Amino acid sequence: MFTASTEKPLVVDEIIKGYIKYINSFNEYTKRAPIYFRERDWDGVQLNQRQRLRLYKDCVNEVVKICKVSFGEFLNDRQYWLSVKQFFSESINERNDKELAESFYNSVIRKSVAKLSIDEELMFVLEGYDSCEIHPQENLFYNYPSTWGVQRIIRKILEDFDFNAPYYQKEKDVQFLVRSIREVILTRYKVDKSTTTQVLKQVFYRNKAAYLIGRTFLGGKWMPFIIPFMHGPNGIFVDTLIFDPNLMSATFSYTRSYFMVETEIPSQIVAFLNSVITHKKVYELYNAIGFNKHGKTEFYRDFLSHQSTSDDQYVLAPGIKGMVMTVFTLPSYNIVFKMIKDSFDPPKNMTRQEVKDKYRLVSLHDRVGRMADTHEFEYFKLPLNRVHPDLLRELKNTVNSLIEIKDDTLILKHLYTERRLTPLNMYLEECSLDDAKIAVEEYGNAILQLAKANIFPGDMMTKNFGVTRQKRVIFYDYDEIEFLTQMNFREKPKPKTFEEIYAASPWYEIAKNDVFPEDFRRFMIGRADVKAYFLEFHKDLFDPDHWRSIQKRIENGEFMHTFPYPDYMRFRPHEPV
């Protein structure tokens, strides 16, 4: 039994050492991003991203191991952890990233103490980014006064961000940007002496692109913008200029990989992003800059806040019930909760661990704007009186091993949270013909863009895809995904005999990884007035040669970039990257 003491428990130093190791390594990986961009080392980009994603778990596990070996006798002592939390909080109070350190501490205690439900006294639950010191922003930006004029401002921006590599057509880039500003902004707003432009000094790197984030004070308000740069075989070039808030939001989407951006004071960067990309919540922005574990903490805070100010009940999510997951939602909250069933309906024959492995694969992979990010929770608590009786019955029938009722609380031992989307099959039942055409185009685009990222969705039924508020189609059912390069795309053998023609089952051998694209026609789109349009628009989907050509490009080492904005916006749509 631990006896309260004025001396700092030794485990505090171990947690702090572990956190410092994590954040220093995180920053080292992040600092490599501009080097890979400068050298066009796209293999290095992908490896660096995966290594940084694995880092947090490795550092936490290392500290947990030390805790169990050296301090095991105290780990289940509540008083001990109360003391640890107090001394830990005092030790990190002067840090510029203390909110991240608090989340690291939360991860350590959760992994160290068996079956620990979230405990607001032992863990940092409600502290959060709002409690961080507000830091001055003067040194965060390059400032460009309106008296310089548009041409000079653009030239100075390109001078300030030269990426230490040759530009392709710098003068052309200047004119592209100037023309866009004049056409989109200066036709609607008049420049005056209060007008100024600010661009964050930190560059946001992701895949083959580098993004500048800025804002211009014009018309009495701040107008944000993003300038994406590419580094093609011919040199650095500006790809487009983004003013549209929806496209800015999509660039920071939960369906895309995290940015590599140097952040001395993470809350400062998040506060700025929060002011210019207003569609995004704080937890989404922490996710977007790579601090997804703290993003999980911020999500939980947002969830608790919403739960405390709402009174609707948790219910089964609308749509066709899955064979692998039980999915429920709180109608007033834009999130679904997904739990792996105790047993799977045929023909599913995988294990719970295999499903977890698929979700982990997605968390480490480039999501190319087509797969939803998730957060994984253990011992998640819900007030029992908020759980609809039909949902409770379904949970007992399908995930009984993962639930526990304790007094007035429902404890969920393992679940994933994910953004709630409108299932594509339901959307197609209700939308107009024009919207249906857009949706089926998006559906095929999602499958093909995932393929170019070496992901084969497996089960491509429309019920496994969702539609966002921007009418973008996203894949969200991961239990059958595989690497594209591991699949064998085949033409269906032609029957030659009467027996083969009328055989009740295939008369030819089919391996587990065999795929017959021509069969996709039968199940992909059921809506009659749009099916022919889809089959013609995405005819490549049904051609084994097209799938094999994508495989060959991947096997030859090609890294295919997916843009977070439409091709028609690109200044040079045919420029190789």
Side-chain angles (χ1 to χ4, degrees), residues 248-293:
M248 292 188 68
S249 181
T251 303
F252 281 79
S253 172
Y254 60 92
T255 64
R256 295 195 176 275
S257 300
Y258 308 136
F259 285 105
M260 293 275 184
V261 52
E262 294 184 43
T263 51
E264 182 182 349
I265 308 176
S267 62
Q268 187 182 47
I269 295 293
V270 167
F272 170 75
L273 292 174
N274 193 227
S275 71
V276 297
I277 307 177
T278 55
H279 288 104
K280 295 296 177 188
K281 293 193 173 185
V282 165
Y283 72 82
E284 294 177 288
L285 295 172
Y286 271 106
N287 288 345
I289 62 174
F291 298 115
N292 57 311
K293 296 303 182 181

Side-chain angles (χ1 to χ4, degrees), residues 6 9 19 57 96 108 120 232 239 250-251 255 325 378 380 424 448 572:
T6 56
Y19 173 70
K57 184 176 181 180
N96 287 334
V108 170
E120 294 183 11
D239 201 49
T251 303
T255 64
M325 291 285 197
E378 294 178 332
F380 197 91
L424 178 57
L448 291 171
R572 303 174 181 85

Side-chain angles (χ1 to χ4, degrees), residues 432-496:
S432 68
L433 178 59
D434 287 342
D435 281 343
K437 286 183 176 180
I438 293 171
V440 298
E441 288 177 17
E442 274 285 289
Y443 170 56
N445 289 340
I447 293 168
L448 291 171
Q449 286 175 358
L450 286 171
K452 291 176 181 177
N454 198 20
I455 290 291
F456 181 66
D459 188 347
M460 294 185 287
M461 300 285 284
T462 53
K463 68 183 179 68
N464 297 324
F465 292 77
V467 183
T468 71
R469 63 182 178 83
Q470 297 175 3
K471 299 181 181 179
R472 188 172 178 82
V473 172
I474 307 300
F475 180 58
Y476 54 56
D477 192 336
Y478 306 144
D479 55 87
E480 288 196 18
I481 64 170
E482 301 286 353
F483 290 117
L484 187 83
T485 48
Q486 294 177 354
M487 310 312 292
N488 181 33
F489 294 94
R490 294 175 56 187
E491 291 84 0
K492 225 169 184 178
K494 305 299 180 187
K496 297 177 181 178

Side-chain angles (χ1 to χ4, degrees), residues 191-210:
V191 174
D192 59 33
K193 61 182 181 182
S194 69
T195 300
T196 188
T197 295
Q198 297 178 330
V199 179
L200 272 176
K201 292 178 180 179
Q202 290 86 352
V203 180
F204 291 66
Y205 293 91
R206 183 173 64 204
N207 294 341
K208 290 185 174 182

